[in-house]
Amino acid sequence: MTGSATPRVLVALDTSDTDTAVTQARAVRASVDGVKLGLEFFTANGPSGVRAVAAEGQPIFLDLKFHDIPNTVAGAVRAATRLAPFMMNVHAGGGGAMLHAAAEAASEAAEEAGIARPLVIAVTVPTSLGEDDLAEVGVPGTVGDQVRRLADLAQRCGLDGVVCSPREIAALRRQCGPGFVLVVPGIRPAWAAAGDQKRIMTPGEAASQGADYLVIGRPITGAADPAAAARRIAEEIAEAAA
């Protein structure tokens, strides 16, 4: 059982410079399905930076990973929704009340602004963490166990999907069904360096497992020709889906 017939590619614009982000978004506009803006960019540039990138016409995944008391997260989600991203995220580890508050706030803010409600997804276990890292902070069991627990919680709380590593795609697709969105970082083509990611997979492999969105940064933005790198990845995904 899979999600999207062909996963969509989101380019991670991991920069603090607005001009660089705009240039990167423009370079791959015809080759990908959207861009991801994260904490580094938002801390440096705030809402005006998001609007500058959005002006390039790319759908934006606002990757701010909210994690706080429910009222604070609800307020942050309302504010972020007004920037009209197509997707944003929170940490599943914030608990059920926080997740419920995030989902409700997104719906309310979108209705008030007269815009489409963004997808609200939950981060399970970041792809930079392994089981030794979880044990260090007191989380028992395997990474897979924790990812499945948090995905179940997110789904029960009305969120649209989760962020998971490539290794958890198949298990979560079976557990959560075809309508639950799986957003997958830790994607590295065979021709690219792994970097700081531990639980990685190639684009073709992730496509065959049932991912909906693949988040890919340095293999595209660090390439001599980002658009060509994006097209090469798209070809690999298409071959896997055929």
Side-chain angles (χ1 to χ4, degrees):
M1 184 178 294
T2 62
S4 301
T6 302
R8 285 151 284 186
V9 173
L10 305 176
V11 177
L13 305 182
D14 295 323
T15 177
S16 61
D17 182 72
T18 299
D19 289 341
T20 299
V22 168
T23 297
Q24 290 176 340
R26 185 177 300 153
V28 298
R29 182 165 47 198
S31 307
V32 300
D33 301 288
V35 299
K36 180 183 79 72
L37 296 175
L39 280 171
E40 177 183 359
F41 182 85
F42 194 80
T43 301
N45 304 289
S48 64
V50 175
R51 293 188 185 100
V53 176
E56 293 301 311
Q58 287 277 35
I60 289 178
F61 168 23
L62 199 53
D63 178 27
L64 302 182
K65 300 183 180 73
F66 297 132
H67 187 169
D68 211 309
I69 63 173
N71 188 60
T72 297
V73 167
V77 167
R78 288 190 191 96
T81 296
R82 289 192 284 271
L83 294 171
F86 89 96
M87 182 162 62
M88 69 175 74
N89 59 9
V90 299
H91 265 290
M98 190 205 81
L99 296 176
H100 275 298
E104 291 174 1
S107 296
E108 292 168 358
E111 184 176 358
E112 290 169 3
I115 59 177
R117 177 193 179 279
L119 296 173
V120 182
I121 62 173
V123 177
T124 53
V125 178
T127 54
S128 60
L129 300 182
E131 287 170 4
D132 290 345
D133 302 298
L134 290 185
E136 189 174 37
V137 296
V139 177
T142 67
V143 168
D145 290 339
Q146 180 69 351
V147 169
R148 288 189 294 273
R149 278 193 294 267
L150 293 175
D152 176 67
L153 176 63
Q155 190 169 38
R156 287 189 285 111
C157 291
L159 270 67
D160 301 289
V162 294
V163 180
C164 67
S165 93
R167 295 185 188 180
E168 288 90 48
I169 299 170
L172 291 186
R173 186 57 69 207
R174 290 191 298 270
Q175 173 181 308
C176 301
F180 198 62
V181 176
L182 301 182
V183 179
V184 186
I187 300 298
R188 290 291 183 272
W191 40 268
D196 57 0
Q197 306 285 359
K198 293 184 179 180
R199 293 161 22 245
I200 63 174
M201 190 175 283
T202 69
E205 290 169 338
S208 68
Q209 293 291 309
D212 292 294
Y213 291 94
L214 306 182
V215 179
I216 306 175
R218 284 164 285 186
I220 295 175
T221 60
D225 185 340
R231 288 193 297 269
R232 184 176 177 184
I233 289 168
E235 290 167 2
E236 181 179 335
I237 292 170
E239 289 174 3

